[in-house]
Amino acid sequence: MSFFELDLQAMMEWRHTIHRNPELGFEERDTSRLISECLDSWGYEVTTGIAVTGVIGRLVFGSGEGPTVGLRADMDALPLKEETGLPWQSRVMGKMHGCGHDGHTAILLGAAKLLSEIHASDNHSWQGTLVVIFQPAEEVGGGGGAQRMIDEGLFDDFPCDAIFALHNFPGIPVGQCEFKRGPFMCSSDKVTIRITGKGGHAGLPHLAVDPTQPLGALILGLQSLVSRNLNPLHTGLISIGRIRAGETYNIIPELCEMELSVRALQPEVREILRNRIHTLADQIALSYNCQAHVVYETGYPVLINSDKEAAVIGEVAQSVFGAENVDIDASPLTGSEDFAYMLQHVPGCYVLIGNGDNGYTGGERAGPCSVHNPHYDFNDECMNGGGQLWLKLIEHYFTRN
């Protein structure tokens, strides 16, 4: 089968430029400028300023009577000091592209450039509308850049029939791809529980109301919600990330506090955990003559790939990577991703492409590491496969009868 000829040199140069100059969520001004200048020079209708730094490019093929397909890439970096030692290492102290968004952006730019050349040719018969979405602030948590773009009219102004996104994944070999239809990534919520008692002298506990007792009971009790309130075949996670109680050893504190990460793979499980955490905290605190206050911050929803679009990209991915290198029924991930918000409005699919084992120290390969690691680097060998995936996907939609 024939493949498209991407400008891989330009893609690597864009990627390395963005990597050297990382920008955090809603601060991606230089990245946004680079993207918008490229798209404008290639003939796209360009919209900037949505969700502060977001960029949207629109290109109509033929009469535009075909489907409208959206492709999304995230742009933001992490508040992390890079320690790869690579020639394109971050020049900004305390900021790095530790999740590969620089690579995702370069992949979509490369595909957008070649699609503009196809659009300008005289002999193509493609029909449809392409919407390329460069999204800020995927890493910020809570109401990330995807939700803000939607709130500011993304799908009102650029309605799509289908939408797709990809992410690199360390540990999956380069040249492989995986995803699944239905729930694929977990929701992510932050919960703060404050337990109030009555402070006092450590030697006179009978004159105080010790909030550390319900705190201890709650630490154990929270895990019972997963083991005893959920269907064993469903996925729910409660992790305690921070605990604070008191200032010194001989004072019974007035207040204890804990922060939780709560994740679920099914929306109904998310609601069960939310309701039970409130009830458990209130009742345990009350049993020790204390009071509990729960602050539940709803984060990213469950990411759910639609059946039809998963089938389409599965067919396309097999043509690009080979059927033996595509897993269309991969295990779900307990991480979260704000592309889930877009999938609540438009049917689509989120896929993973292999990043191999790409960890570096001092510019030398140091073995595998995950994303969000100071030694991580996006693998440039991924870019051709990722770009081909977008190109063949658009070809599929715009040339079918």
Side-chain angles (χ1 to χ4, degrees), residues 19 78 80-84 96-101 104 139 167-172 333 335 355-361 365-379:
H19 192 96
L78 288 162
L80 187 65
K81 179 184 176 183
E82 182 167 353
E83 298 180 7
T84 64
M96 76 168 287
H97 271 287
C99 203
H101 297 183
H104 307 160
E139 300 285 2
H167 202 291
N168 77 95
F169 201 84
I172 300 175
L333 303 179
N355 196 65
D357 294 331
N358 225 36
Y360 292 89
T361 299
R365 190 176 291 274
C369 70
S370 70
V371 294
H372 293 219
N373 182 294
H375 301 281
Y376 162 88
D377 187 58
F378 178 87
N379 195 331

Side-chain angles (χ1 to χ4, degrees), residues 262-311:
V262 181
R263 297 171 183 266
L265 192 60
Q266 294 82 19
E268 61 272 22
V269 169
R270 188 186 200 187
E271 287 306 305
I272 290 171
L273 292 177
R274 178 173 185 153
N275 293 332
R276 292 293 293 129
I277 286 171
H278 275 280
T279 301
L280 191 70
D282 288 341
Q283 296 300 318
I284 286 180
L286 184 63
S287 70
Y288 286 91
N289 201 27
C290 294
Q291 291 183 325
H293 178 64
V294 179
V295 178
Y296 214 101
E297 300 177 48
T298 301
Y300 297 166
V302 179
L303 185 146
I304 303 175
N305 289 330
S306 57
D307 290 357
K308 179 180 177 182
E309 285 64 32

Side-chain angles (χ1 to χ4, degrees), residues 1 13 16 69 104 113 131 152 183 197 218 244 317 319 362 384:
M1 81 173 270
E13 290 175 2
H16 294 170
V69 180
H104 307 160
K113 179 177 185 290
V131 179
E152 294 184 14
L218 191 55
R244 182 184 176 190
S319 73
N384 187 53

Side-chain angles (χ1 to χ4, degrees), residues 93-144:
M93 181 60 66
K95 299 178 184 179
M96 76 168 287
H97 271 287
C99 203
H101 297 183
D102 52 337
H104 307 160
T105 295
I107 286 172
L108 186 51
L109 277 175
K113 179 177 185 290
L114 189 47
L115 286 165
S116 74
E117 295 169 2
I118 295 171
H119 176 270
S121 67
D122 294 328
N123 58 358
H124 74 83
S125 58
W126 294 20
Q127 290 284 342
T129 301
L130 170 66
V131 179
V132 289
I133 302 165
F134 294 88
Q135 180 212 304
E138 190 279 326
E139 300 285 2
V140 301

Side-chain angles (χ1 to χ4, degrees), residues 43-64:
Y44 283 78
E45 173 193 322
V46 181
T47 300
T48 60
I50 184 169
V52 186
T53 51
V55 182
I56 300 169
R58 182 173 178 269
L59 198 61
V60 179
F61 288 77
S63 64

Side-chain angles (χ1 to χ4, degrees), residues 150-231:
I150 294 166
D151 291 342
E152 294 184 14
L154 172 61
F155 295 126
D156 296 324
D157 298 332
F158 303 93
C160 295
D161 298 305
I163 191 165
F164 300 88
L166 61 74
H167 202 291
N168 77 95
F169 201 84
I172 300 175
V174 174
Q176 294 187 14
C177 172
E178 62 180 52
F179 60 94
K180 75 182 300 294
R181 66 180 185 177
F184 187 43
M185 297 184 74
C186 283
S187 60
S188 178
D189 300 325
K190 175 185 176 182
V191 184
T192 303
I193 302 175
R194 299 184 181 95
I195 301 175
T196 305
K198 180 181 177 182
H201 195 291
L204 301 169
H206 60 293
L207 300 179
V209 179
D210 188 351
T212 67
Q213 290 185 301
L215 176 71
L218 191 55
I219 290 171
L220 298 176
L222 285 168
Q223 301 309 317
S224 73
L225 301 187
V226 173
S227 65
R228 288 296 177 266
N229 291 165
L230 301 184
N231 184 325

